[in-house]
């Protein structure tokens, strides 16, 4: 089961960090952009070439420290189809370096359409009799607002191809409570009901370490809810965004871990990608700065696990 | 305001139909696939070339009857970056034929990331000092589970670039009630609260025909809820999927329209795209069959508006 593979990688590297690959152009050193623009012009192709190189050098610098990367689909779609090609090539490069890849797409749709998303991001696309890989991630973030039949096709693909899911439960953004914190007639909050659905859906993808293949996204910016959800969702592994630049610190995510220090993987994007700007080091050392920041984060998380 | 443009097109063609471009390979005549595979092989590129040609011939046959098309992003992602290029080219072709384009992506994320989706699908991508169009739709479907700050960046892009939104409120799939029909402490259902949020968000994008630039997705498979929501959401234009192959008929969508026969656009995908299979006409006439089915649908909708 795919999240078992993620847990094994976390254990091996003793680090529950996922590096978020959200390559906004303003995060890239000028020289990388200029070299790409010289070859491709100031075009979507040029931007896509620049972000691919940025990602590859980051992956080289981080692959022996972090178990996983999380490319955020929006920052690739932003560059049109050349950006989507860079997403595909980033995933392949991360796999070649032994990393687990969580594609952060927050996809959602009705069942028949969700089959297409599942095949695209976690499975295979059949073209006549040939199976082709469209993107090839190991896990995908999804939005459960449509209920079970938007999730079922994913479970089947996950079982067949050894992949996993993370369902949005309590997101890291300030207005996440606008809907997610509303209370149902039963007194339960919506996020908690969504979490309960993860436990139910996960029964179909059992794992060997107590966690299922259906994880949940719970933001580092909501430490109380993290602790509450860890307690009531014993079989649901957490993907925790919002650490670092969004305001969550190590003590805020402490509640995400179980008594073995497992149960969650914590994402950091901007703090790693922009470490070179914060450090004020030479731009050529951007990947080294990301590595130093990743080591600081690993230590900080070790202190609370 | 973009949805004003859609309403004007509906009025001009006297037809509130949007043609869903969900080009699954099994919907395509064999000869189109074989010609593409001969040039590109049985590859993602070959599949993408086939679906682009299929879409273009459908658009040619439908563009004087229907006001809008709705490509479903999943069926393009399914073919990787070549599929996304076909999406981009389909949108450009539809625009060249004067059609309004609703990109059905159901995108959702936190504010800073939603800015990227908004730029990608409704606005412009800045590459150095150059503004590039990544996909270029006129409206985008989105999922509001993250609340206002996942919507705000879209409102700004919509205002600046004359584009619109459709927020998922009550989806057409069988399990949509699993979350959406739950009742809050206030007695209100979740879908109704999501609808109320559309009215609030829409105040920032007022239109000249009484409807705002923030529309709602409400399935044809839920006629009662359609009628209820039409009544309580007077400024929210509806995108109604689920007509035809999913089971909704003309009488089911009657409640979506206001007293002027406006207020909604009804999507049909499979019934149009597979009309040639149902008719049993020569495969070469697939676009003609789609046109005949679109005319039948126009008549059926006219009888209930």
């Amino acid at each position: 089961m795919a999240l078992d593979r993620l847990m094994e990688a976390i254990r091996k590297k003793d680090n529950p960090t996922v590096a978020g690959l959200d390559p906004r152009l303003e995060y890239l050193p000028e020289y990388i952009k200029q070299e790409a623009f010289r070859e491709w012009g100031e075009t979507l192709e040029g931007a896509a070439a620049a972000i691919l190189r940025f990602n590859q050098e980051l992956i080289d610098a981080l692959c022996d420290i972090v178990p996983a990367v999380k490319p955020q689909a929006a920052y690739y779609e932003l560059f049109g189809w050349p950006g989507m090609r860079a997403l595909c090539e980033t995933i392949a490069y991360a796999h070649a370096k032994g990393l687990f890849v969580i594609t952060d797409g927050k996809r959602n749709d009705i069942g028949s359409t969700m089959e297409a998303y599942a095949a695209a991001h976690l499975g295979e696309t059949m073209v006549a009799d040939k199976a082709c890989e469209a993107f090839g991630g190991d896990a995908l973030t999804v939005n459960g607002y449509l209920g079970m039949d938007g999730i079922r096709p994913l479970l089947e693909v996950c079982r067949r191809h050894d992949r996993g899911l993370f369902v949005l439960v309590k997101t890291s953004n300030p207005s996440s409570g606008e809907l997610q914190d509303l209370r149902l007639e039963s007194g339960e909050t919506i996020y908690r009901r969504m979490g309960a659905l993860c436990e139910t859906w996960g029964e179909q993808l059992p794992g060997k370490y107590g966690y299922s293949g259906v994880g949940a996204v719970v933001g580092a910016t909501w430490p109380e809810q993290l602790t509450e959800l860890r307690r009531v969702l014993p079989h649901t592994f957490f993907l925790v965004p919002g650490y670092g630049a969004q305001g969550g610190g190590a003590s805020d995510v402490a509640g995400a871990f179980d008594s073995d220090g497992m149960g969650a993987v914590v994402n950091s994007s901007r703090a790693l990608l922009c470490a070179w700007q914060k450090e004020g080091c030479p731009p050529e050392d951007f990947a080294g700065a990301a590595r130093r920041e990743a080591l600081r984060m690993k230590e900080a998380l070790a202190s609370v696990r």
Side-chain angles (χ1 to χ4, degrees), chain A residues 105-186:
Chain A
K106 300 186 175 63
R107 296 305 193 243
N108 63 107
D109 218 295
I110 64 168
S112 52
T113 302
M114 208 63 204
E115 280 174 28
Y117 278 131
H121 291 285
L122 300 173
E124 292 168 339
T125 300
M126 291 309 296
V127 178
D129 300 325
K130 260 186 62 186
C132 306
E133 198 173 74
F135 291 101
D138 296 292
L140 179 69
T141 61
V142 300
N143 186 318
Y145 187 69
L146 283 81
M148 179 59 177
D149 44 48
I151 300 293
R152 194 176 295 114
L154 293 155
L155 298 178
E156 286 163 24
V157 169
C158 285
R159 196 168 16 238
R160 208 171 333 125
H161 296 279
D162 184 29
R163 308 293 165 101
L165 291 187
F166 289 97
V167 180
L168 298 188
V169 169
K170 175 66 185 162
T171 57
S172 60
N173 57 310
S175 75
S176 75
E178 209 169 314
L179 204 87
Q180 299 160 29
D181 290 0
L182 294 177
R183 275 186 197 280
L184 300 169
E185 281 181 325
S186 61

Side-chain angles (χ1 to χ4, degrees), chain A residues 3 6 16-24 27 54-55 58-59 62-63 66-76 86-88 90-95 99-106 121 136-142 164-168 171-172 216-220 237-243 246 265-270 272-273 297:
Chain A
L3 298 194
L6 173 59
T17 298
V18 50
L21 297 177
D22 304 3
R24 300 166 71 115
Y27 297 171
F54 181 67
N55 284 347
L58 284 169
I59 288 169
L62 296 173
C63 65
V66 304
V69 292
K70 180 177 77 63
Q72 162 56 257
Y75 293 110
Y76 301 84
L87 172 60
C88 177
T90 294
I91 293 172
Y93 195 81
H95 278 159
L99 293 169
F100 188 92
V101 179
I102 302 169
T103 304
D104 195 355
K106 300 186 175 63
H121 291 285
D138 296 292
L140 179 69
T141 61
V142 300
L165 291 187
F166 289 97
V167 180
L168 298 188
T171 57
S172 60
V217 176
V218 188
F237 197 83
F238 291 167
L239 167 61
V240 183
Y243 185 92
Q246 278 184 59
V265 65
V266 181
N267 180 77
S268 177
S269 302
R270 220 178 317 166
L272 296 180
L273 274 47
M297 180 170 167

Side-chain angles (χ1 to χ4, degrees), chain A residues 51-61 89-90 93:
Chain A
I51 65 175
L52 177 60
R53 177 176 165 196
F54 181 67
N55 284 347
Q56 288 172 331
E57 296 191 24
L58 284 169
I59 288 169
D60 287 340
E89 291 172 347
T90 294
Y93 195 81

